[in-house]
Amino acid sequence: MKITKQNAPPAEVTVLSIERDPRGGNPQTHGILSAHVPASEREAYTAHALAVRQSSGAQGYLQERLADRAALAFWRLDRVARWEAVSLEAQQRRFQDDLQSPDALHDALSHLNPAPLYALNLRGSLRALSELTGEVQHAFLSDPACAESYAQDSDREALGWAALLDGADLSALPAEVREPLGIDLLSALIETWDIDPARVARAMLGRKPTRDEVQDVADWNWRVEPDELPRLITEAARAAGADWRSWLLRKRYGASGTAGKVRAIAARLPMLLEQEQTQATEPDSRRLEKITRYEAHLERVLYRALHELEVARRERQGQDTPAPLRVVLDERAER
């Protein structure tokens, strides 16, 4: 049979399934957000990206994509800044923890290698303050008034030695001025002039001491009472002999010198703390180089997206869009 147009069998029609463009889906999983930010940031990032679209006047798919690219570059630059702030805070905490936990072995051996009084670094200054006052190093960081308190103690001690040199009535002096004198005199009698503790106790008490009293004096476990101090001074003057007045002068100037040194070193602590904390929190050169390159890359992406967005906006409005200026540097151009 002859096949004509009228009796030809119907042609088979292939129905193609049209897949939906995923970019038109929910912006929480596609389009604005995609997989560019973690889930914890998506809500804030959505508001950020929409704000960039709105402020840039993006219209149409192309302009919205360029605005989204600029928004992502903004977001990542902010994330780098936040990371830097968190890293600096962590390094500052570690720096403070290190200062609060000095090396026990270093402290135990510090008397073998005394630190200079005007040390140029923070740890040397703390060590010098500790040697001058007997206080632990971290106390001068946790309590800024600690150094001044010790300096005032030395001032009072110097005042007591000056009064003793002038032959003043020591009973008229405050207790906090007399007490250091008694402690230093006991120490000098036993350690410097090698006087037997029993003799020191007898001279100080004006009677025969008990065995326990002698032991307490030998252990320096004795608080010199106001009525005992004059007899203790008399015994110390007898033991020192001709050197008594020069010894008092050395004690006076030693105490006033200690007060001045403590104040001078403590005054430098804030500056040294800031300097060393800044040095301790600076990133190493390799990490700094990576961060700098990453920030430069993000800024190039940002400015390129903003430029292309502006070009697309001008074209949409029928305005001229001058081509980007390209400059080629050639040494021959200078000849």
Side-chain angles (χ1 to χ4, degrees):
M1 181 177 94
K2 185 177 179 182
I3 299 176
T4 63
K5 237 175 176 190
Q6 287 76 12
N7 60 11
E12 293 185 1
V13 178
T14 302
V15 180
L16 299 176
S17 62
I18 301 176
E19 296 184 358
R20 182 181 180 134
D21 189 344
R23 293 171 297 191
N26 188 339
Q28 291 296 326
T29 54
H30 304 288
I32 290 178
L33 292 175
S34 187
H36 295 149
V37 297
S40 60
E41 298 180 2
R42 286 182 179 176
E43 182 177 354
Y45 181 76
T46 301
H48 163 74
L50 290 174
V52 172
R53 282 188 179 185
Q54 182 179 2
S55 62
S56 64
Q59 297 179 9
Y61 177 75
L62 176 60
Q63 292 184 28
E64 289 180 351
R65 288 303 304 272
L66 289 172
D68 292 347
R69 188 168 180 82
L72 185 59
F74 272 126
W75 192 262
R76 286 176 171 170
L77 282 168
D78 289 344
R79 184 184 293 147
V80 171
R82 291 194 299 271
W83 171 86
E84 184 179 20
V86 171
S87 298
L88 287 174
E89 288 181 358
Q91 292 175 14
Q92 288 173 358
R93 285 195 298 270
R94 286 194 294 269
F95 177 75
Q96 293 290 344
D97 291 343
D98 289 343
L99 289 178
Q100 297 293 334
S101 304
D103 190 342
L105 179 60
H106 172 80
D107 289 348
L109 298 178
S110 63
H111 66 282
L112 300 178
N113 183 25
L117 296 180
Y118 295 94
L120 297 179
N121 58 60
L122 178 62
R123 291 189 180 276
S125 297
L126 292 173
R127 183 178 168 188
L129 285 174
S130 179
E131 293 171 354
L132 285 168
T133 63
E135 182 61 86
V136 292
Q137 296 181 15
H138 64 81
F140 299 102
L141 294 175
S142 58
D143 182 9
C146 181
E148 178 58 27
S149 176
Y150 279 101
Q152 291 178 6
D153 288 343
S154 296
D155 285 337
R156 286 189 287 268
E157 182 182 350
L159 179 62
W161 295 120
L164 193 55
L165 269 167
D166 296 338
D169 182 9
L170 298 183
S171 62
L173 297 177
E176 60 267 20
V177 175
R178 295 195 305 266
E179 287 180 4
L181 302 184
I183 294 172
D184 281 3
L185 287 171
L186 274 178
S187 173
L189 282 165
I190 297 173
E191 295 293 325
T192 304
W193 298 311
D194 199 22
I195 306 299
D196 183 70
R199 178 171 178 171
V200 174
R202 178 186 289 272
M204 182 172 54
L205 295 172
R207 58 172 174 81
K208 183 178 179 180
T210 65
R211 181 175 300 178
D212 291 339
E213 289 173 336
V214 172
Q215 188 61 48
D216 287 341
V217 170
D219 296 338
W220 300 350
N221 186 27
W222 189 275
R223 179 178 179 178
V224 180
E225 298 296 335
D227 62 318
E228 299 170 349
L229 185 58
R231 292 191 290 268
L232 190 63
I233 293 173
T234 300
E235 180 63 19
R238 186 202 62 80
D243 192 41
W244 172 238
R245 188 168 181 81
S246 61
W247 184 85
L248 289 177
L249 283 171
R250 288 195 299 271
K251 296 296 290 183
R252 174 189 175 182
Y253 291 125
S256 59
T258 296
K261 292 171 185 175
V262 168
R263 288 192 174 98
I265 297 174
R268 298 167 53 246
L269 285 184
M271 177 192 66
L272 293 174
L273 179 61
E274 181 179 359
Q275 288 178 351
E276 297 203 13
Q277 183 168 284
T278 300
Q279 294 172 1
T281 54
E282 287 180 353
D284 59 86
S285 57
R286 182 176 299 179
R287 174 179 291 185
L288 183 61
E289 183 181 357
K290 288 183 179 179
I291 295 173
T292 303
R293 287 204 306 265
Y294 183 53
E295 287 182 322
H297 163 70
L298 292 177
E299 288 178 350
R300 287 195 300 270
V301 171
L302 171 63
Y303 294 129
R304 187 182 302 131
L306 292 176
H307 171 74
E308 296 299 330
L309 182 60
E310 176 65 15
V311 170
R313 186 187 65 80
R314 293 175 65 90
E315 288 179 348
R316 188 182 186 90
Q317 295 176 353
Q319 299 178 2
D320 291 336
T321 55
L325 179 64
R326 299 184 62 186
V327 179
V328 178
L329 299 179
D330 193 337
E331 294 180 355
R332 291 172 298 180
E334 298 180 358
R335 296 177 182 175

